[in-house]
Amino acid sequence: MLPENSPYHGIKEGFTGQRIQVVPTPLTEKALTRPFTRTFFVNVAGYFPNAESHLRKRSSGSEELIVLLCTEGAGRIKIGRFTHQVHPGKLVMIPPYTPHTYGTSRTEPWTSWWGQTGGAILPI
């Protein structure tokens, strides 16, 4: 449980103007059988503009590598015992199965582009 004054608060998605693209499971399964894409492919990608109250907490991490790019505003990400400030131009990569929490600033909501990847080159 995060303390009340925590910088992390809010919702996973539902922001005005957001975009999310999910590659359907049959295409993901097919990608795993092809020489180039079986090693690395993006299976989910999104854009969250001015994502007020954005919060994501994964106590067991994600099966995929997560890549998040902040283009406006600010936020924080906690990986393990380390908390990092995120500002425009900062790219964050979270390895698979790594517990983490990230969220936007209460005063300067971030705009972020993000993706989740699959493939055989990712550590399991």
Side-chain angles (χ1 to χ4, degrees), residues 1-107:
M1 179 83 177
L2 294 165
E4 187 174 305
N5 63 351
S6 168
Y8 304 107
H9 65 288
I11 59 175
K12 294 190 306 188
E13 65 175 284
F15 310 104
T16 302
Q18 80 174 32
R19 290 181 270 171
I20 299 175
Q21 184 63 50
V22 179
V23 177
T25 301
L27 293 177
T28 298
E29 291 170 351
K30 193 171 195 173
L32 289 169
T33 68
R34 303 213 171 186
F36 180 75
T37 55
R38 75 173 169 231
T39 59
F40 184 82
F41 60 91
V42 176
N43 54 4
V44 182
Y47 166 69
F48 288 170
N50 192 36
E52 188 174 333
S53 298
H54 185 210
L55 171 70
R56 205 50 192 182
K57 182 177 183 178
R58 296 182 180 97
S59 57
S60 298
S62 170
E63 291 182 10
E64 295 93 11
L65 169 72
I66 298 170
V67 179
L68 184 140
L69 173 65
C70 175
T71 58
E72 294 180 42
R76 292 185 185 176
I77 183 164
K78 183 177 182 192
I79 300 174
R81 59 190 170 111
F82 298 101
T83 300
H84 307 275
Q85 301 295 320
V86 180
H87 297 284
K90 181 108 178 193
L91 178 75
V92 178
M93 297 177 74
I94 306 167
Y97 305 104
T98 302
H100 61 274
T101 301
Y102 55 80
T104 191
S105 162
R106 291 180 190 264
T107 57

